[in-house]
Amino acid sequence: MNGFEDLYKFEKKSNKINKSSKEQIINQAIQLQLKGNITEATKFYRKLISQGSTDHRVYSNYGIILQGIGKLQEAEISYRKSIELNPNFANAHSNLGNILRDLGNLKEAEIYTRKAIELNPNFSVNYSNLAIILRDLGKLEDGEISARRAIELNPN
């Protein structure tokens, strides 16, 4: 057991998490997620959410986990909460756009993907995602422009 797990168990017993320990728990959850320990990361994120976390990263990262296990509607809710908490977080807009595309809501997917591009105009993947959405909407010329921009930003 490491110090973070001890802290988590202590905080769980007291049912209170202070600001400093919240940040430690968030960082631990992120590290667990990056290392592929999704089960443990999920426990941390759920605990933070049950405690009323107002950190956009918690909801965005939990959305990534939900999306990865195919719980698209739940992931959509989590990304929307992340955006509500931080409207300028490009990753949440991008991920929500992908979810909405997968759910067949192409018009709304376009809106969120364009917002992700507005917030982070140098990320080629967002242009590539937008190109796919525009193609599926029948906006082929606009889709081609977006695809060309993606290639311009990342020729590989």
Side-chain angles (χ1 to χ4, degrees), residues 3-4 14-15 22 24 30 33 39 46 48 71 77 107 111 122 124 137 139 143-144 147 154:
F4 289 109
S14 69
N15 207 29
K22 275 185 187 179
Q24 289 178 317
I30 291 168
Q33 188 173 7
T39 302
R46 285 182 179 163
L48 289 160
K71 294 184 175 186
I77 292 166
K107 289 181 181 181
I111 292 167
N122 297 315
S124 64
L137 285 169
K139 300 177 181 180
E144 181 182 349
N154 185 355

Side-chain angles (χ1 to χ4, degrees), residues 93-112:
H93 286 276
S94 177
N95 291 336
L96 180 55
N98 289 334
I99 289 284
L100 293 167
R101 183 188 70 220
D102 291 346
L103 292 171
N105 189 344
L106 297 176
K107 289 181 181 181
E108 196 175 10
E110 178 184 358
I111 292 167
Y112 280 97

Side-chain angles (χ1 to χ4, degrees), residues 41-61:
T42 298
K43 289 178 187 176
F44 283 106
Y45 291 133
R46 285 182 179 163
K47 177 65 176 176
L48 289 160
I49 290 168
S50 74
Q51 292 284 327
S53 177
T54 58
D55 191 303
H56 68 280
R57 298 170 300 169
V58 169
Y59 295 92
S60 181
N61 291 344

